[in-house]
Amino acid sequence: MNTSKIKIIALLLVVMTIGFSFTTADKITIKGSDTMVILAQKWAEVYMSKNPNTAIQVTGGGSGVGLSALINGSTDIATSSRPLKTSELEKIKGRYGTLGVEVACAKDGITIYLNKANGVDELTLKQLADIYSGKITNWKQVGGADANIKLYGRENSSGTYVYFKDNVVKKDYALTCQSLPGTAAIVNAVKKDKFGIGYGGAAFDTGVKDCKIKKDANSPALVANEETIRNKTYPITRYLYMYLATKPTGANKKFIDWVLSAEGQKITTQVGYFPVR
Amino acid sequence: MMKKVILVLLILGINTINAQEIVNDTIKKTISIDSLKQAIDEHSMKFGDTEERLSTIESELAKLTKIKISGYIQAQYDMYDYQDDKGPVAGSSAQSPVTNSFYIRRARVKFAYETLDGIKFVIQPDFAVDKVSLKDAYVVLNDRWFMQTYSLTVGQFNRLNYDVEFTSNIREFLERARMTTTLYPNERDLGAKLEANFVNKYNFPLKLQLAIFNGNFGEGAIANQVRDVDSNKDVMARATYSFQFANKGLGVDVGAHGYFGSTKVLAQPVTNPVTPPAVFSDENNNPFTPNAGDTLKKDWFGVETQIYYDFLGGTSLKAEYISGTISGTTNAGQTYSAFGANKVRDFKGFYFSFTKNVGKIFQAAVRYDSFDPNSKLSGNDVTRADDLKYHTWTFAWQYFYDENVKIVFGYTMPINEKSDLVGGDYLSSNQDRKDNTFSIRLQARF
């Protein structure tokens, strides 16, 4: 191929690159964590009412699904209830040449849901780990009725599934744990099942009993609330994140700045989560 | 008047019919508590039945969701600017040149089955017009006690090198560097690998890999690659560490790897006047005659770095340097196109690449790579084409059409070392032998 053809092709590519790179619109897509869907939707709703020229689309699917979408370019922001995995970071490096941008945008206390008729009110982290790994299988082993424990959990695309496994269970979940597609489904299942137990975000605990959690046998039994989250005494406290492929600019930056502002953080409390500061 | 009478009669008639229906309905249907209970029981049974069916379906579906299928097709159009229009296509000649061609570079489907988080099975065939070949087939066992810090991989998988492990479906360039394709033909090998990744449990971004391979994959006839051709095993080790400066948008990965193996001389005719034993050449191009069973040196050491910087979009700079000794034979069970000769050679190679993302959908990249397959000889001391040093410029521009499809424009420009004694195309050109390729690739993945 002669040099002039190559030059023409190169020139065309440069022109197209510059041209297309400036065609941006105030449309933001957010995808990921089911735990964060209600929070992200509320943020979007309030933000759009104040910024009518910005359209924000929020969908769930799980933290893993959101991060995959971020990697393949089909969402601007991925919401995640767990930190980025090494394998996901490697993919972001490969695709975008960056480390990604992590924005801690809210705090959550993973809540243990029990049926209101369940006699058990509190559990230690160790008991919780033993229950979800299948070592403890009957409520009487933790001071409850003589009945088998019915485990409800999330699918492995869920950030809560990963976080709970890595930080509480610390081994494989018991094979008897029934995977459900969302936190609301877990709450519903526990609501109907006297001997059921589930885990999920603090904002979903309607109609069930919040089990008090003890760091160890000698620690106080606590539920997740603003005070125990702020003073870091609730043992299963985590951050909720937003991830971007590159440093936010334009509409994305404006939205994230607003999420982290006092106004945006106030919404976390309204929804049932906790502000980062 | 008559019409009005008929209309009134009709209306009355319709009302009578409706009234009768209502009367009949209220008279005939009697509701008792027992019948209601029976109906509720029937419905409860139906719900119970549906729930059982659903849970069976859910359980079956759960098994299916553990199977992950992904794949990609790379279809491309190549334009060859080769010496005397010979090109890389078989049969192309100055008389009947093939200067361009459509081409399926890769068509792969990957099946991964993850029973629990700790166990994974992977099979990846590659489909070509005339054959199906197995690219990956391995089992990964992760430890259950240290948050999957340690893993064991057994089967056929990538060798331990950054350029090898960086999958072709997200790579910036159409092909790997010449050094990589020479040292690691077909990228994979059969063996076992132990890996320790300390980031999950200890938040310490160090990864250590140790592998043992047959050492002859990608060499010789396919039948000879199914199992080892000798009893000697090759060992590889690699360590990488990641420095992260998240608030500055900067990441620096560094690593090193070593290859410790050998090439066994599988056969050598007994000295006689009819079939003399094969004469090999050593690192200095001096002849020597090994015996059958002798092992030739094949080991090297490499260092690497990848730098990522978020400045006006992602920017990455990658570099790798490898130096050591490689050996080969012309035995049918060992020879391969990139290094198919009875020889032992000291070599040096490196590459630098620079990639810039423009927005989310464009990426431009340039790479300079150098590979000297005989670092002890240069210029007119080089007497054979496969000892010539190569510098290659590679340019790539990618357009990510959507989440599944991308278009890549690539230009590869190899520049060879000059020697008057090599002859052939290299002599007639008296300068760089023409062997440039321009490609447009469409990649679709799912």
Side-chain angles (χ1 to χ4, degrees), chain A residues 46 129 142 254:
Chain A
V46 176
V142 289
K254 210 174 146 195

Side-chain angles (χ1 to χ4, degrees), chain B residues 356-385:
Chain B
K356 181 82 194 90
N357 286 272
V358 184
K360 275 173 68 180
I361 55 170
F362 293 102
Q363 190 182 71
V366 58
R367 181 179 66 203
Y368 175 72
D369 79 73
S370 168
F371 184 63
D372 188 352
N374 188 351
S375 56
K376 288 200 170 170
L377 301 175
S378 62
N380 283 346
D381 291 334
V382 177
T383 56
R384 43 194 300 166

Side-chain angles (χ1 to χ4, degrees), chain A residues 97-167:
Chain A
T98 68
L99 303 178
V101 176
E102 180 183 272
V103 180
C105 55
K107 275 184 179 176
D108 179 28
I110 290 188
T111 302
I112 305 304
Y113 314 125
L114 297 179
N115 188 285
K116 284 185 172 173
N118 193 321
V120 173
D121 290 320
E122 59 184 53
L123 291 168
T124 64
L125 281 179
K126 171 85 172 55
Q127 286 172 326
L128 207 48
D130 288 345
I131 287 171
Y132 267 95
S133 62
K135 200 173 169 187
I136 292 176
T137 56
N138 194 300
W139 283 112
K140 73 177 178 188
Q141 292 172 270
V142 289
D146 182 7
N148 285 336
I149 300 173
K150 189 74 185 291
L151 302 174
Y152 295 102
R154 293 292 315 279
E155 290 159 331
N156 63 6
S157 58
S158 154
T160 309
Y161 169 100
V162 175
Y163 187 89
F164 195 68
K165 184 179 172 221
D166 287 352
N167 295 280

Side-chain angles (χ1 to χ4, degrees), chain B residues 282-352:
Chain B
D282 68 9
E283 295 91 325
N284 297 306
N285 211 18
N286 296 322
F288 72 101
T289 308
N291 296 315
D294 284 356
T295 53
L296 310 175
K297 205 174 169 190
K298 184 183 176 186
D299 50 38
W300 51 82
F301 182 75
V303 288
E304 64 183 71
T305 186
Q306 298 89 37
I307 300 168
Y308 306 95
Y309 187 43
D310 192 351
F311 176 70
L312 299 175
T315 307
S316 65
L317 182 67
K318 300 176 184 178
E320 193 170 352
Y321 172 84
I322 304 177
S323 164
T325 305
I326 187 170
S327 52
T329 78
T330 54
N331 187 292
Q334 294 170 311
T335 187
Y336 66 106
S337 59
F339 197 85
N342 291 326
K343 60 181 186 178
V344 181
R345 291 289 184 265
D346 282 353
F347 70 88
K348 277 179 189 157
F350 66 86
Y351 67 80
F352 292 102

Side-chain angles (χ1 to χ4, degrees), chain B residues 5 56 66 78 84 102 141 148 159 212 264 277 365 383 423:
Chain B
V5 171
T56 311
K66 288 173 183 169
D78 289 346
D84 301 325
F102 283 101
L141 302 175
Q148 304 185 8
R159 282 173 269 201
I212 180 163
K264 193 169 187 175
T383 56

